[in-house]
Amino acid sequence: MPGAGAAAASRNWLLLVLLLLSAFAAPAAGFGSAKKVYMREKVRKMFYHAYENYMVHAFPHDELKPLTKTFTDSLSELGNLKLERLPQNYNGSALTLVESLSSLVVLGNYTEFERGVLWLSDNLTFDVDARVNLFECNIRVLGGLVSAHILATDSKSRLEHGLYKNQLLDLARDLGQRFLPAFETPTGLPYAWINLKYGVMDAETTETSTSGCGSLILEMGALSRLTGDPRFQAAALRALRKLWSMRSPLNLLGTTLDVVTGEWIEYSSGVGAGVDSFYEYLLKAYILFGNDEFWDMFHSSYLAVQKYFRHGPWYHEADMRTGKATYWQLTSLQAFWPGLQILVGDIAAANSSHREFFYVWDKFGVLPERYLLDHGMLHPTEKYYPLRPELAESTFYLYQATRDPWYMEVGETIINSLNYYTRVDGGFASVRDVSTMELEDHQHSFFLSETCKYLYLLFDDSFLAGQNYVFTTEGHPLPIRGSWHEKLPEAYIPANWTSVKNENQAIRLSALSQQVCPATTTGGSISLQIESACHIPDSRADHRCRMDDECGIDSTTCRKRVCSMAGFCGLWLFEP
Ligand code: DMJ
């Protein structure tokens, strides 16, 4: 439990989070306002190219097949939803429209947002014989509806005074109620799959993942607060507490488990697939709801991740029982981690890790699903890039925290790659193989809810002005409201984390010159002192190098930095 002496640190921490989520007034030096507008408009065009092609060729089905200009409802990960009120027995839940609503608001298109809200109000139903994945349906559909409901009742929305009578909230409540039978297990851990009409099917699999049962709290907690029905939050919280009770003495969790026996199935885990949003939701639930319980869980698990998974800027997997490394692999999903580190204020670690993900992006043109760090090669079967958002997401958070124009350059590279490799006449296509750039006929809905949204926010964050949001793991914004806080948060930041000492001086000139090597002096009115007993700066201010001798001592770990293949000083995985 945090001690009383931590109150000041707590306030600083909270202020930092608020600062990170707010719009800063200062424009980015080196990336002029005309260029920012140009990039923003480029992202806007990307979004509408994806959205309009979906509306023309796929709506009201779930997702677009951009190469053949057709549709798909058979999401292996989501299951089948369908709209019964439509003619011709359509399958589909207009998933991409549900996922696009909050992005339309971020782009300032209230007219199309309102059109979508009213269409869904009239047509969507969940009273269907459909087996869906609880986690995916929660983050995409429930999260999309809850967020859109909040935005529809926002003072900026014209719907507030017109035709909108909480229809999306009614739909969300109905969907949430259909989720509840999944939680009726001896452990309280929910089944991974549920039939929306009939509940849990006979002989349903009892296997689920850590993220599948441990990251439902944001959407279900928000639903409870909006409806006044505590059952949604209670179910998600009970599952989360049970999951947490299954941690090892090292405070590590596995990746898959049995919801009936409460036994682990896969003991190895990392910060990527099957676990990622579990960590994300502990911290974001604390920010959104203010309970110390979430912070305590996050704090313990964050320290365990840094201790057992981190190796320099990389995060490998480890066995939860021993802490011993298992798989030395970089996965595309892990790229959300630097963004989460920004929310907790660990900027130096976020920056060094983000730079490595970007190095791999740059090497292939996009981020491969899995990259074998120990062999320096692609995973033989997971060479795909399904338009994932995680690197863009972290880039957005790093830019919010640092205002370093370098992150805009990263965003520009990501945008150019997406347009060059994945844009086709019928939308944006996934990459089947990053070594050949062969495309796959699928435009995932998260390309609209997350990838385009974070890239747009990187160049225009006016949506954030005057309101702080937590973004769900699917990129749907939920406002941070004092009235949702059960009590005021208390937090403790370990002294060796790279924390901002004075919240009035939180703006930094350059992440490359300061966060990577934090004690580099900056001069000027916004200089910032960060403790570092052992720090020795790299020879060059831009951290480029040809030999290890040109690299200094890392200020946070006190370890010798070495020169990477890419020619940057850092704490790389394989040191001499
Ligand atoms: C999204 O559906 C969510 O971000 C989820 O948590 C995992 N990643 C996918 C997109 O990559």
Side-chain angles (χ1 to χ4, degrees):
M1 283 294 291
S10 163
R11 275 193 302 279
N12 285 353
W13 179 85
L14 193 64
L15 231 138
L16 172 63
V17 168
L18 298 181
L19 277 169
L20 299 180
L21 294 173
S22 307
F24 285 86
F31 210 100
S33 51
K35 180 85 181 277
K36 273 179 79 173
V37 170
Y38 172 76
M39 293 311 301
R40 180 193 72 191
E41 291 310 305
K42 210 165 174 178
V43 182
R44 188 196 298 279
K45 282 187 194 133
M46 288 168 68
F47 176 85
Y48 284 117
H49 183 66
Y51 179 78
E52 283 162 8
N53 270 292
Y54 163 74
M55 293 306 279
V56 169
H57 302 297
F59 173 81
H61 294 273
D62 282 334
E63 292 183 314
L64 172 69
K65 295 178 92 169
L67 300 179
T68 50
K69 299 185 180 171
T70 52
F71 55 82
T72 175
D73 294 315
S74 314
L75 293 177
S76 53
E77 66 270 39
L78 183 60
N80 272 315
L81 293 180
K82 51 184 172 177
L83 288 157
E84 282 193 335
R85 289 184 206 164
L86 286 174
Q88 299 164 357
N89 195 24
Y90 270 116
N91 282 321
S93 62
L95 174 67
T96 299
L97 175 61
V98 174
E99 289 256 73
S100 299
L101 292 177
S102 60
S103 296
L104 286 166
V105 172
V106 168
L107 267 65
N109 189 344
Y110 275 95
T111 305
E112 188 62 15
F113 169 73
E114 288 159 8
R115 211 161 72 93
V117 167
L118 296 177
W119 189 91
L120 290 167
S121 303
D122 288 343
N123 292 286
L124 195 57
T125 175
F126 299 115
D127 188 27
V128 289
D129 179 6
R131 177 178 177 262
V132 301
N133 183 283
L134 180 73
F135 168 78
E136 294 291 348
C137 201
N138 176 64
I139 64 170
R140 299 195 199 203
V141 186
L142 187 64
L145 292 173
V146 164
S147 175
H149 163 73
I150 293 171
L151 295 169
T153 50
D154 186 280
S155 56
K156 287 185 215 147
S157 166
R158 293 189 305 248
L159 281 168
E160 195 197 6
H161 311 291
L163 298 166
Y164 186 68
K165 298 191 170 49
N166 298 334
Q167 295 97 319
L168 296 192
L169 183 59
D170 294 340
L171 279 165
R173 184 196 341 247
D174 179 47
L175 184 58
Q177 280 166 351
R178 291 169 194 279
F179 285 173
L180 293 178
F183 294 83
E184 290 166 17
T185 59
T187 58
L189 296 164
Y191 280 93
W193 296 85
I194 177 104
N195 184 296
L196 290 178
K197 199 179 187 88
Y198 301 113
V200 179
M201 313 282 279
D202 288 344
E204 184 55 89
T205 178
T206 56
E207 183 171 348
T208 191
S209 65
T210 295
S211 51
C213 58
S215 36
L216 303 157
I217 190 71
L218 288 189
E219 292 83 0
M220 295 188 75
L223 184 60
S224 278
R225 278 161 178 78
L226 291 167
T227 59
D229 182 341
R231 290 178 301 158
F232 310 114
Q233 160 145 342
L237 191 54
R238 181 170 172 236
L240 186 57
R241 285 180 176 150
K242 173 64 189 173
L243 191 63
W244 184 239
S245 76
M246 291 166 61
R247 71 193 183 279
S248 73
L250 307 178
N251 285 332
L252 293 175
L253 289 85
T255 301
T256 56
L257 58 144
D258 187 299
V259 300
V260 171
T261 63
E263 302 284 331
W264 288 106
I265 297 171
E266 173 57 66
Y267 291 97
S268 175
S269 78
V271 295
V275 191
D276 46 1
S277 49
F278 163 74
Y279 295 111
E280 180 183 359
Y281 273 31
L282 292 179
L283 180 59
K284 290 185 175 177
Y286 172 61
I287 296 170
L288 195 62
F289 303 130
N291 310 52
D292 282 344
E293 181 182 6
F294 297 125
W295 171 257
D296 292 340
M297 288 191 258
F298 175 77
H299 180 213
S300 304
S301 29
Y302 185 80
L303 293 181
V305 165
Q306 296 300 86
K307 181 167 180 187
Y308 296 108
F309 299 162
R310 183 181 180 196
H311 192 111
W314 305 108
Y315 289 82
H316 57 76
E317 287 195 19
D319 188 307
M320 63 177 280
R321 298 163 296 188
T322 61
K324 295 246 165 65
T326 49
Y327 303 107
W328 295 82
Q329 300 178 357
L330 172 147
T331 64
S332 180
L333 288 165
Q334 294 172 343
F336 88 102
W337 186 255
L340 191 68
Q341 293 186 304
I342 288 299
L343 282 182
V344 80
D346 208 353
I347 297 174
N351 182 49
S352 67
S353 167
H354 172 272
R355 202 143 47 81
E356 287 307 293
F357 282 108
F358 180 56
Y359 165 68
V360 178
W361 176 288
D362 219 23
K363 179 179 165 114
F364 292 101
V366 293
L367 209 50
E369 187 71 0
R370 204 172 281 272
Y371 181 75
L372 307 179
L373 291 169
D374 41 0
H375 296 93
M377 60 181 270
L378 290 170
H379 186 281
T381 59
E382 295 186 38
K383 300 178 178 179
Y384 50 88
Y385 169 67
L387 306 173
R388 288 199 191 282
E390 285 76 10
L391 186 62
E393 176 184 354
S394 283
T395 305
F396 155 72
Y397 281 111
L398 272 151
Y399 179 68
Q400 284 288 316
T402 63
R403 295 283 147 174
D404 184 340
W406 185 73
Y407 294 109
M408 289 196 169
E409 289 172 28
V410 171
E412 185 177 9
T413 302
I414 294 173
I415 289 163
N416 289 341
S417 297
L418 288 170
N419 280 304
Y420 186 73
Y421 293 116
T422 71
R423 191 183 196 277
V424 293
D425 190 45
F428 283 84
S430 300
V431 176
R432 189 190 299 280
D433 182 339
V434 303
S435 64
T436 61
M437 287 297 172
E438 180 196 353
L439 296 179
E440 189 179 340
D441 200 7
H442 199 162
Q443 179 184 282
H444 291 267
S445 61
F446 51 69
F447 182 68
L448 289 107
S449 70
E450 291 192 83
T451 314
C452 289
K453 183 184 280 138
Y454 288 122
L455 289 172
Y456 187 89
L457 285 169
L458 180 61
F459 296 102
D460 183 347
D461 57 10
S462 48
F463 170 74
L464 303 173
Q467 175 66 65
N468 295 309
Y469 291 95
V470 161
F471 288 91
T472 69
T473 192
E474 193 70 1
H476 297 302
L478 298 173
I480 301 173
R481 295 174 169 164
S483 58
W484 283 15
H485 277 216
E486 278 157 22
K487 66 187 180 101
L488 282 176
E490 284 244 323
Y492 163 73
I493 306 176
N496 62 349
W497 289 12
T498 311
S499 57
V500 176
K501 284 184 142 186
N502 179 345
E503 63 271 18
N504 296 322
Q505 297 177 321
I507 300 172
R508 300 169 181 199
L509 268 181
S510 166
L512 271 180
S513 63
Q514 294 181 71
Q515 272 84 53
V516 175
C517 240
T520 306
T521 52
T522 56
S525 59
I526 58 170
S527 66
L528 184 72
Q529 291 300 314
I530 296 175
E531 276 179 16
S532 178
C534 55
H535 176 249
I536 297 176
D538 299 330
S539 305
R540 289 179 49 154
D542 63 2
H543 308 287
R544 287 204 168 271
C545 53
R546 288 203 200 92
M547 295 174 302
D548 292 343
D549 287 354
E550 295 169 68
C551 302
I553 304 284
D554 180 77
S555 65
T556 49
T557 61
C558 296
R559 285 170 46 212
K560 173 84 177 87
R561 292 153 61 81
V562 292
C563 193
S564 75
M565 285 186 303
F568 281 101
C569 294
L571 293 172
W572 314 125
L573 185 55
F574 299 106
E575 296 168 18

